[in-house]
Amino acid sequence: MDGSYLIGGQRRTSAQTFQGIEAATGQALPGDFAVTTPEDLALACTLAEQAFDHFRETAPETRATFLETIATALEKRSEAIVARAMLESGLPQGRLNGELGRTTGQLRLFASVVREGDWAGVVIDKALPERAPLPRPDLRSRQIPVGPVAVFGASNFPLAFSVAGGDTASALAAGCPVVVKAHPAHPGTSLLVGQAIAEAVEQCSLPSGTFSLIQEPGYAMGSALVAHPAIKAVGFTGSRSGGLALMAVAAARAEPIPVYAEMSSINPVVLLPAALAARAPELGRAYVASLSLFAGQFCTNPGILIAQTGPDLDRFLAAACEALNAVPPQVMLTPGIASAYDRGIASLTENEGVQVLAAGADGTATCGGARLLVTDGNDFLADPSLTHEVFGPSSLIVRVRDTAQIAQILESLQGQLTATLHLDEADYPLAASLLPILERKAGRILANGWPTGVEVSRSMVHGGPFPATSDPRTTSVGAMAIHRFLRPVCYQAIPDAILPPALKASNPQNLPRREFD
């Protein structure tokens, strides 16, 4: 691995370097990576701007083939990519093989989306020259790409939410060049993936500025990237503090731009009475399996669970505690994340209204120990700090006095990525009364499942009201993610000869369209 970064597909180096860190040990990995210079960052943005007008008008088949070419290039490098990602993230091989499959699957999904053409949103109001009292001109509209997009790699998904992840795939599908800022914990993984994209750009004869990859050991460069006037939108997955910082930079620009940030969520799970009575031990074990999966480092981790006090909850707690006591410490993504997890757990355990119910073995400087905590509904409602996300293998159980307090707890929550109801048929009336609350609070509502699993599909919504995301109208996963990077334009009485292909009367790209007389 040569340690370069990629500006318009070209490998570049600089005098300043840094090293990757092995997640399991906290020690530096062999090999140096060049830190992108400010001049090269600006060049990447300029090249993206220069590539935009060509790339945005490529035929749907061209972009679809490009996305599929990236997927194939990643598969050819899969062994090296997964091996490096294991070192830099501490995630096991099986998980990363699955994540690589999800990454290539996303790319191929968006290839299908581009070919289908609904994203173009073509609408035609035919001219009505004889209409009284005023004639109507010919009106045609379509969705066009917004411009170059800055994408930030995520710590918890080094492949599926990073260099070739959903933000990049949807932006490229829309026709937007992309400048990716690699996550500082994944320099080697990011470079290998970036090289695959650069290879696909060349194979498909696209402008070199269609893709660039910048690297640094920290986070300062992100502000400069978002502030560059060539950048027209941002895709980010990470902490609330990081997302808010980028939003502030974007809002302060002479031309403010949207930041599509997926940030913070505690993903409430509610056990309704009949379901809890019917299968308390089973639910307890499944709950622990979900909250501790891959050290709980999912944005959809079930951070709180709400259930009514009583014998059925006691049976649930007994099974959950037994299961959690057996959970060993797990490697966390970075030593910094492990340290932040420890601080979050300490803050909860020092709270007078919170008790520790169960604890796996203690963690280390790089590993997180599982924790199960409990509080009462009144204490939860009185202390907003209990709604703060603790990123790692822990969860807080909220014991409520009655079903009315379940609704009260849900109403008190901020925006969430997910909300889950475990219910049986006898619970349907109560569930129906809670559903309007959950619709206002979450982007995805589940029944009889666990939130730690996001299907990449056409109907998936991975978003939600603030602070889960910066814009509740959007999703960062699934086919609808493409709409973040498009905007509508109307063409009034433009001669057919100079209309873009999407709007010509002959419809040469065979795009679906809605026509009105």
Side-chain angles (χ1 to χ4, degrees):
M1 196 173 300
D2 61 15
S4 60
Y5 49 87
L6 303 170
I7 304 299
Q10 300 300 310
R11 298 182 181 186
R12 311 273 288 202
T13 61
S14 68
Q16 187 178 359
T17 62
F18 69 105
Q19 292 177 287
I21 300 296
E22 185 175 9
T25 65
Q27 301 300 308
L29 290 165
D32 293 331
F33 292 88
V35 177
T36 304
T37 65
E39 295 76 15
D40 279 342
L41 184 151
L43 177 59
C45 296
T46 299
L47 290 173
E49 185 175 42
Q50 293 170 352
F52 176 54
D53 277 339
H54 175 90
F55 183 56
R56 74 185 180 94
E57 292 296 359
T58 51
E61 182 59 35
T62 299
R63 290 210 297 282
T65 299
F66 172 45
L67 295 168
E68 291 167 340
T69 302
I70 297 173
T72 299
L74 290 172
E75 288 165 345
K76 290 179 179 177
R77 293 168 166 81
S78 61
E79 186 175 343
I81 289 171
V82 168
R84 182 71 190 194
M86 288 172 64
L87 293 173
E88 292 181 337
S89 69
L91 295 170
Q93 183 177 13
R95 150 71 192 271
L96 289 167
N97 280 331
E99 191 180 328
L100 182 61
R102 172 174 167 172
T103 305
T104 58
Q106 287 176 151
L107 289 159
R108 292 189 171 109
L109 170 68
F110 280 109
S112 298
V113 168
V114 171
R115 287 191 177 101
E116 290 160 5
D118 289 340
W119 58 273
V122 176
V123 180
I124 298 173
D125 288 310
K126 295 178 181 178
L128 299 175
E130 306 301 324
R131 189 183 68 174
L134 294 173
R136 183 175 78 187
D138 182 87
L139 298 169
R140 296 167 185 252
S141 67
R142 66 167 179 156
Q143 298 283 333
I144 71 166
V146 297
V149 173
V151 171
F152 287 76
S155 65
N156 60 337
F157 280 85
L159 302 175
F161 276 85
S162 291
V163 177
D167 288 340
T168 297
S170 55
L172 293 174
C176 299
V178 171
V179 179
V180 174
K181 184 190 178 298
H183 194 280
H186 311 142
T189 305
S190 297
L191 181 57
L192 289 168
V193 173
Q195 288 170 344
I197 300 176
E199 177 185 287
V201 170
E202 184 175 1
Q203 287 182 7
C204 295
S205 301
L206 295 171
S208 63
T210 301
F211 172 79
S212 291
L213 173 73
I214 62 175
Q215 298 252 36
E216 68 166 334
Y219 302 95
M221 197 173 291
S223 295
L225 176 59
V226 173
H228 195 282
I231 298 299
K232 302 303 181 184
V234 179
F236 171 84
T237 297
S239 67
R240 188 189 306 193
S241 60
L244 292 176
L246 296 182
M247 290 166 63
V249 173
R253 289 174 31 142
E255 176 198 8
I257 59 172
V259 175
Y260 298 108
E262 188 258 277
M263 297 180 290
S264 177
S265 185
I266 55 174
N267 308 297
V269 175
V270 182
L271 306 183
L272 297 183
L276 184 59
R279 51 185 188 277
E282 174 190 343
L283 288 169
R285 292 186 289 269
Y287 169 52
V288 170
S290 179
L291 73 89
S292 63
L293 182 65
F294 300 121
Q297 297 170 114
F298 289 93
C299 44
T300 53
N301 206 46
I304 67 165
L305 182 140
I306 305 163
Q308 189 173 348
T309 299
D312 295 328
L313 179 59
D314 292 341
R315 293 190 298 120
F316 169 87
L317 295 177
C321 289
E322 182 180 5
L324 191 125
N325 286 332
V327 175
Q330 299 176 71
V331 175
M332 301 200 74
L333 294 160
T334 69
I337 288 174
S339 177
Y341 173 68
D342 287 344
R343 292 194 299 274
I345 292 298
S347 177
L348 286 173
T349 57
E350 291 166 3
N351 189 305
E352 292 183 357
V354 176
Q355 297 82 45
V356 178
L357 273 184
D362 289 338
T364 66
T366 59
C367 297
R371 297 291 185 269
L372 194 59
L373 307 106
V374 66
T375 190
D376 290 326
N378 289 340
D379 289 327
F380 184 86
L381 289 167
D383 188 349
S385 73
L386 297 182
T387 67
H388 294 172
E389 180 184 29
V390 178
F391 190 69
S394 71
S395 189
L396 177 65
I397 296 169
V398 183
R399 298 179 299 205
V400 298
R401 61 177 180 267
D402 52 31
T403 57
Q405 196 171 45
I406 294 176
Q408 193 178 5
I409 296 287
L410 293 175
E411 286 282 13
S412 75
L413 298 178
Q414 294 181 301
Q416 305 294 327
L417 293 171
T418 73
T420 302
L421 297 174
H422 283 273
L423 70 164
D424 281 357
E425 187 171 355
D427 296 311
Y428 286 2
L430 175 57
S433 72
L434 298 175
L435 200 58
I437 302 173
L438 300 183
E439 288 174 334
R440 288 188 276 106
K441 297 293 181 177
R444 177 165 59 107
I445 305 168
L446 299 80
N448 296 330
W450 299 95
T452 43
V454 182
E455 180 72 22
V456 179
S457 66
R458 283 166 171 74
S459 58
M460 176 51 62
V461 174
H462 188 64
F466 184 87
T469 70
S470 56
D471 189 336
R473 299 168 297 176
T474 65
T475 175
S476 62
V477 176
M480 291 185 288
I482 193 173
H483 296 294
R484 297 173 298 171
F485 306 121
L486 296 165
R487 67 176 181 86
V489 176
C490 179
Y491 302 74
Q492 180 171 326
I494 302 296
D496 189 78
I498 63 171
L499 279 171
L503 297 178
K504 286 183 179 296
S506 61
N507 194 9
Q509 295 177 343
N510 197 32
L511 293 171
R513 49 175 62 182
R514 299 170 63 204
E515 299 189 33
F516 300 92
D517 294 321

